[in-house]
Amino acid sequence: MAQISGLSLRVQLLDVPDVVYRDLWIPKRLTWHQLHIALQLALGWENLHRYEFRQGIARIGLPRPSDPHPVTDARTVRLSAYPWLADSQLPYLYDFHDGWRHRITVLNCAVGNRRQPILLDGHGVC
């Protein structure tokens, strides 16, 4: 049986009047920070603000000494360390001041030989 090497993800921007989403294929070998960069490019953001992924109570981002809660360094943890399941969801927050909330949904886990993230589909303007 082949090992799952990638994920098809849908990231949807929440709290906006129109539907905004991007579908991506992401290799599991990437770090959480590399996923953040792929999301920035796909959504048209400029990577100027802090970000955070949540796995249950765990926070993944770029830690600072002033953080009130522990934050796992997104540059050091690969996506493959997380137990991905189809239809599972996790929050992604970009820009703590303006609070751009996103929901990432796993569309499927797949075998593939792609080495880079790929934008598959999308709708709406960020």
Side-chain angles (χ1 to χ4, degrees):
M1 181 173 191
Q3 185 175 1
I4 302 301
S5 59
L7 305 161
S8 290
L9 303 176
R10 171 167 287 177
V11 58
Q12 183 174 354
L13 180 60
L14 304 175
D15 307 322
V16 292
D18 297 320
V19 175
V20 177
Y21 72 86
R22 302 293 183 269
D23 293 346
L24 300 102
W25 188 89
I26 302 289
K28 284 177 52 179
R29 65 176 180 75
L30 297 184
T31 64
W32 285 91
H33 183 70
Q34 290 170 314
L35 172 60
H36 161 73
I37 296 299
L39 295 175
Q40 290 290 293
L41 292 169
L43 292 162
W45 301 128
E46 296 177 339
N47 196 28
L48 299 174
H49 306 283
R50 293 189 70 196
Y51 68 91
E52 180 178 277
F53 296 94
R54 292 242 178 119
Q55 297 177 336
I57 61 169
R59 299 165 186 260
I60 302 168
L62 299 179
R64 290 187 178 173
S66 60
D67 287 335
H69 304 285
V71 177
T72 300
D73 192 331
R75 298 166 293 195
T76 64
V77 181
R78 297 201 179 276
L79 298 175
S80 58
Y82 183 68
W84 298 93
L85 300 171
D87 296 323
S88 62
Q89 298 181 347
L90 65 138
Y92 167 63
L93 177 64
Y94 175 63
D95 187 347
F96 293 179
H97 180 262
D98 286 336
W100 293 107
R101 294 182 332 112
H102 305 76
R103 177 179 48 239
I104 298 174
T105 303
V106 179
L107 301 176
N108 65 53
C109 305
V111 176
N113 58 2
R114 298 177 183 129
R115 308 252 329 133
Q116 300 296 325
I118 296 173
L119 180 63
L120 303 171
D121 193 12
H123 181 79
V125 178
C126 296

